Structure formats: C-alpha cells, structure tokens
C-alpha cells in the first residue's frame, strides 16, 4: 500500500517551453502533497505544499508564477514548470501524506528528471 | 532558517560491522524525525521514523533520538553491501501537513 506515482519519469525539453509533471497517490487519499527538487549532489529541497482544492504554499525563493501547482483532487497534484530554462534542470520529486498527525508518513514518488536544453 | 546537518562522508564500513550515521537539527520545535535511504538516481525510501526520545529498533536498523541535544542517529547492524547508499536525515516541524527539511545526506560504503 501507500504507492505514489509520477509521470513522466524523465523529460527533455527546449528552453522556453512548459513542462507538466503529474503526481498521483494510487491507493490512498492524500490530503497534502509536497513538491521537492534535488540538484546533483544536493539534498531534497521543499518547493511547495499543496492541499486539495486550495492554493499551494511556496517556500521562500520559489517563484509561484514559474512553478504552477494544481491539486485538483485527493489523488492528483500537478507541477507545471513554465518557460523552463537550463537552470531548472533537476530531479523533481513529489510526496503525499494521508493526514496531518505527527505520525502520518510522507510517501515519495519515484521522481521526474527534467533536462532543459 | 531550519537546518539539518549531516557528515557528507563517504563513510566506509566493513561488511558485517555496525554503521553509525549521525544528524543534528536546529529547530527545537521539530516533532518528527526520519531516515531515508537514497540510491543514485532514485527517490528516497523511508527506513525509519522516530517521534520520541530514546531508541527505536526495526530489524537491523536502530534509530536514536535525543531532543535535548537535537540529535538523531541511525545504526545499521550487520552491514551488507546492499546498504551502500546515501542516507538522508529529515525533520518535520509539526504533523503530516508540514514539508520535510532534509540534510545533505551521508554517503555510506559497505566494503565486502
């Protein structure tokens, strides 16, 4: 149980284009989903937190107009990287939580590797 | 600024020995603590979670938490080559609605 999927697993795009990444909780309803980014040899950095039906909360330094997050249902959140540039190339990982209790675990998706040419 | 500190390593341990990984965190309000294992190019995989002071054992893994010292550790007994990976310490301030703050990870190498 507690499986989170991401699609696509990798994507290569040209500079200036937009890329959408999907995150789905397959066997549970996720009240909250998180988006992280990991650059090579760096740790995961939280980008934003999204709750179903409400606006995402972005971490300091993350441009909300560039990284559009939509959490349309309890099982799906999408991250759209708008007007992508080479510096946006990274490993994007989502996670999903089933609740707000301290003991509720975040389950991570397999990640999406974005390469912007 | 919440910070989670780990020694980046690499930490080299002979097969069959105990690997000891350490982590300190800056936010005293943190309530939940996690150890993740990450293989190169893959997503993190949860190894252990711990929420109260003391030790928590799960198979070959033992997590230790000392909130007064703001210190978390992970012990891996009978280390296997397959344990070779980067181990990420993560801290959560509140409940499941909060994002995790990760350390940079410790690269562990188990020598056959």
């Amino acid at each position: 149980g507690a499986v989170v999927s991401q699609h696509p697993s990798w994507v290569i795009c040209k500079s200036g284009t937009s890329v959408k990444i999907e995150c789905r909780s397959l066997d549970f309803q996720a009240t909250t989903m998180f988006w992280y980014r990991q650059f090579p040899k760096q740790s995961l950095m939280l980008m934003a937190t999204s709750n179903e039906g409400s606006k995402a909360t972005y971490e300091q330094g993350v441009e909300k107009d560039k990284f559009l997050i939509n959490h349309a249902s309890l099982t799906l959140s999408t991250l759209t990287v708008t007007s992508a540039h080479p510096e946006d190339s990274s490993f994007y990982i989502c996670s999903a939580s089933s609740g707000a209790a301290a003991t509720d675990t975040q389950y991570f998706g397999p990640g999406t590797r974005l390469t912007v040419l | 600024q919440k910070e989670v500190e780990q020694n980046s390593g690499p930490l080299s341990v002979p097969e069959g020995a105990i690997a000891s990984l350490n982590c300190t965190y800056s936010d005293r309000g943190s309530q939940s603590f996690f150890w993740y294992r990450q293989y190169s190019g893959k997503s993190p995989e949860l190894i252990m979670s711990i929420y109260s002071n003391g030790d928590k054992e799960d198979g070959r893994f033992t997590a230790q938490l000392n909130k007064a010292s703001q210190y978390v550790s992970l012990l891996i007994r009978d280390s296997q080559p397959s344990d070779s990976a980067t181990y990420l310490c993560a801290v959560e301030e509140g409940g499941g609605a909060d994002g995790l703050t990760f350390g940079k990870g410790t690269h562990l190498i188990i020598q056959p």
Side-chain angles (χ1 to χ4, degrees):
Chain A
V3 177
V4 176
S5 70
Q6 275 185 249
H7 178 79
S9 56
W10 60 270
V11 57
I12 301 172
C13 70
K14 292 182 178 180
S15 185
T17 60
S18 295
V19 174
K20 179 184 283 188
I21 303 170
E22 290 187 350
C23 176
R24 293 181 184 272
S25 57
L26 299 184
D27 51 4
F28 68 100
Q29 292 187 324
T31 55
T32 307
M33 287 184 169
F34 306 88
W35 287 94
Y36 295 84
R37 180 168 56 179
Q38 186 176 33
F39 292 108
K41 299 196 181 299
Q42 299 293 316
S43 191
L44 279 77
M45 296 295 292
L46 179 66
M47 298 176 67
T49 302
S50 74
N51 294 289
E52 184 262 342
S54 61
K55 289 184 179 180
T57 302
Y58 291 80
E59 294 298 301
Q60 190 174 8
V62 178
E63 301 174 56
K64 63 179 181 180
D65 293 332
K66 180 171 182 63
F67 299 99
L68 302 179
I69 292 173
N70 183 281
H71 194 159
S73 75
L74 286 172
T75 60
L76 174 64
S77 176
T78 60
L79 168 68
T80 301
V81 183
T82 63
S83 186
H85 288 93
E87 58 266 29
D88 299 321
S89 298
S90 188
F91 192 38
Y92 291 86
I93 309 172
C94 73
S95 71
S97 174
S98 59
T103 53
D104 284 315
T105 303
Q106 288 188 29
Y107 299 96
F108 282 82
T112 297
R113 190 162 301 281
L114 171 63
T115 302
V116 184
L117 302 177
Chain B
Q1 182 79 5
K2 304 172 193 175
E3 292 184 351
V4 177
E5 299 288 342
Q6 292 181 257
N7 188 323
S8 61
L11 174 65
S12 186
V13 173
E15 182 176 358
I18 296 175
S20 177
L21 306 165
N22 304 313
C23 168
T24 59
Y25 60 94
S26 64
D27 185 2
R28 282 196 171 274
S30 301
Q31 296 186 31
S32 308
F33 307 87
F34 306 89
W35 283 99
Y36 286 85
R37 176 173 64 195
Q38 187 176 29
Y39 294 110
S40 180
K42 301 294 185 182
S43 186
E45 170 192 8
L46 181 65
I47 298 295
M48 291 283 289
S49 59
I50 187 166
Y51 307 101
S52 56
N53 283 327
D55 295 359
K56 179 181 177 183
E57 187 175 319
D58 184 0
R60 296 188 295 114
F61 300 95
T62 299
Q64 300 173 318
L65 173 62
N66 183 325
K67 290 186 178 180
S69 300
Q70 295 174 243
Y71 175 88
V72 193
S73 68
L74 178 70
L75 299 178
I76 306 174
R77 289 181 298 280
D78 188 24
S79 297
Q80 302 297 311
S82 58
D83 294 328
S84 297
T86 296
Y87 287 80
L88 303 172
C89 174
V91 172
E92 188 173 48
E93 181 179 7
D98 293 332
L100 299 177
T101 300
F102 282 86
K104 290 187 176 181
T106 297
H107 183 43
L108 175 66
I109 299 172
I110 305 301
Q111 296 178 322

